Amino acid sequence: MELTLNFGSDEIYDVIIIGAGPAGSSAAIYTARAGLSTLVLYRAEADGALGVTQQIENYPGIRGPISGYELLKLMREHAKAFGAKFVRGKVIATDLLGDIKKVYTIDGREFKGRAVIVASGAMERTNKYKGEEEFLGRGVSYCGVCDAAFFKGKPVAVVGEDDYALEETEFISRFASKIYLVVPSSRIKAPPEMIEEIKSHPNVEILTHHRVIQILGSSFVEGLEVQNIETKEKKILPVDGVFIFLGGNKPSVDFLMNQVEMTDGNCIVVNEEMMTSVPGVFAAGDVLCNNIKQAVIAAADGVKAALAVDKYLNKKAKITSQW
Ligand SMILES: Cc1cc2nc3c(=O)[nH]c(=O)nc-3n(C[C@H](O)[C@H](O)[C@H](O)COP(=O)(O)OP(=O)(O)OC[C@H]3O[C@@H](n4cnc5c(N)ncnc54)[C@H](O)[C@@H]3O)c2cc1C
């Protein structure tokens, strides 16, 4: 669970895929196999809807039961074998309207591509906590790499329940004197080895089945009020910072900054070739709000988007199948 920083380069990829779930990874298999230089950006290893799925047994060819994360690893290895490059980085902004598309990650890197496939799923939060907006940048953060160093020797809380939250907790633990890991669910949705690793950190205290009531403070964060969901007991955690890494069921599209057409529910609109309203920008998987959310359907969307990218970049008259 090592978090490394490698800064953006001047390389212009044929295609940048945002998301390494079944949609993004399947797209990468096809674009890389077609000889297109392919970069896949993703937020965390066992992240996204499939990444947090404990067991799956209906993915064609994989009889299972297998964890969603194990299945994802197979898909990613398949894409890597054809030359796709996978890089961890949460995308926070994009510049999509020119011929060269730019994609920016939360730790300040810039990546360039001739085409983009958005495959970031639909696990964004819908609600905010009391105090969250008020203390944003004054103790509240959504990025360990960016802000953990500001909390050197200080106690903080991390709110989250999956691999993404664990990876960030591991990074923040290098700086903070104490971390309260507040987990709203009754269990952490991450591979057992990652949970064991985080439990071995002496400065991390895990509070499972606790909900956040409010973030407290005057000018800066001074505490986090939480409640044990079983016993109803409330307490105030004395922290200087609150890092939030939670998911929901909204499409993850904030980084598109309204450059592509979307429905009222923030679902990306695509044509029959998976292209958005912006030439060269495609979308696939749960981010489209498909009425059937299944891994195989997301994967198939990814394949369609990949073949459409090939048509777009190579100026083909029509989409051609890969044999
Ligand atoms: C609990 C649960 C159980 C399920 N069980 C099954 C099942 O048994 N069978 C089945 O077929 N389907 C199942 N599904 C549905 C299936 O998992 C989804 O339909 C599928 O994973 C969608 O694929 P996707 O690639 O579109 O998105 P996701 O799998 O959600 O992947 C999204 C990717 O985008 C990345 N990402 C998101 N935001 C950013 C960002 N800002 N920057 C960079 N990367 C980003 C994430 O890191 C992730 O890699 C289940 C879903 C859930 C939630």
Side-chain angles (χ1 to χ4, degrees):
M1 213 194 322
E2 177 122 350
L3 197 56
T4 50
L5 291 178
N6 61 348
F7 289 93
S9 68
D10 286 335
E11 181 167 1
I12 300 177
Y13 293 91
D14 288 324
V15 57
I16 298 178
I17 300 172
I18 303 172
S25 301
S26 304
I29 292 172
Y30 273 67
T31 54
R33 185 163 179 259
L36 302 175
S37 61
T38 300
L39 172 71
V40 185
L41 294 171
Y42 64 105
R43 213 169 36 185
E45 294 297 335
D47 190 30
L50 192 57
V52 301
T53 297
Q54 260 190 317
Q55 280 198 348
I56 170 163
E57 52 186 17
N58 57 5
Y59 194 83
I62 308 286
R63 201 159 154 203
I66 180 174
S67 76
Y69 180 45
E70 289 301 322
L71 178 57
L72 270 184
K73 283 200 275 193
L74 293 175
M75 294 182 190
R76 292 174 188 168
E77 288 310 317
H78 196 165
K80 284 179 196 170
F82 286 122
K85 188 168 159 191
F86 283 67
V87 170
R88 261 193 65 192
K90 179 179 174 179
V91 175
I92 53 157
T94 49
D95 179 356
L96 300 173
L97 301 182
D99 286 343
I100 300 299
K101 322 289 180 197
K102 294 177 185 150
V103 177
Y104 304 94
T105 52
I106 198 161
D107 47 18
R109 289 174 289 172
E110 178 191 85
F111 298 93
K112 298 190 201 86
R114 294 186 176 84
V116 166
I117 298 177
V118 181
S120 44
M123 295 203 75
E124 221 43 51
R125 287 170 76 209
T126 37
N127 298 317
K128 296 219 156 151
Y129 293 126
K130 191 170 173 210
E132 186 174 334
E133 300 244 330
E134 187 185 342
F135 293 111
L136 187 59
R138 292 187 293 130
V140 171
S141 169
Y142 305 121
C143 177
V145 174
C146 321
D147 296 332
F150 295 124
F151 298 92
K152 196 168 174 30
K154 294 179 179 171
V156 303
V158 172
V159 187
E161 52 193 14
D162 58 13
D163 168 45
Y164 176 39
L166 292 195
E167 287 186 16
E168 293 284 345
T169 301
E170 198 276 333
F171 186 81
I172 296 164
S173 72
R174 301 177 201 176
F175 301 90
S177 57
K178 159 108 190 169
I179 299 180
Y180 298 94
L181 176 57
V182 180
V183 181
S185 313
S186 55
R187 66 171 188 89
I188 300 175
K189 299 167 194 163
E193 63 276 13
M194 289 185 186
I195 299 174
E196 284 314 309
E197 191 181 330
I198 217 72
K199 279 183 177 167
S200 71
H201 282 263
N203 62 341
V204 177
E205 181 178 337
I206 302 176
L207 302 172
T208 38
H209 230 189
H210 277 67
R211 74 181 180 94
V212 170
I213 296 178
Q214 60 178 325
I215 298 162
L216 302 161
S218 46
S219 303
F220 292 90
V221 167
E222 289 166 7
L224 179 71
E225 187 177 9
V226 296
Q227 181 178 37
N228 185 315
I229 293 168
E230 277 153 40
T231 64
K232 308 287 177 229
E233 184 203 345
K234 291 182 186 171
K235 61 180 165 192
I236 294 173
L237 307 175
V239 293
D240 291 348
V242 178
F243 289 84
I244 303 172
F245 306 108
L246 277 177
N249 55 16
K250 220 177 75 169
S252 303
V253 290
D254 287 354
F255 54 80
L256 294 175
M257 301 147 79
N258 297 319
Q259 293 169 94
V260 310
E261 187 188 341
M262 283 190 269
T263 67
D264 288 347
N266 273 343
C267 310
I268 300 177
V269 176
V270 289
N271 65 15
E272 66 283 359
E273 294 186 350
M274 318 306 280
M275 187 145 85
T276 68
S277 55
V278 176
V281 180
F282 302 77
D286 282 5
V287 78
L288 302 178
C289 308
N290 292 327
N291 56 352
I292 305 171
K293 288 192 166 67
Q294 289 285 274
V296 67
I297 291 175
D301 275 357
V303 171
K304 281 160 68 180
L307 294 175
V309 165
D310 185 36
K311 174 190 164 193
Y312 169 80
L313 290 177
N314 291 309
K315 300 188 173 29
K316 293 180 177 172
K318 62 181 178 98
I319 286 184
T320 46
S321 303
Q322 229 180 57
W323 306 110

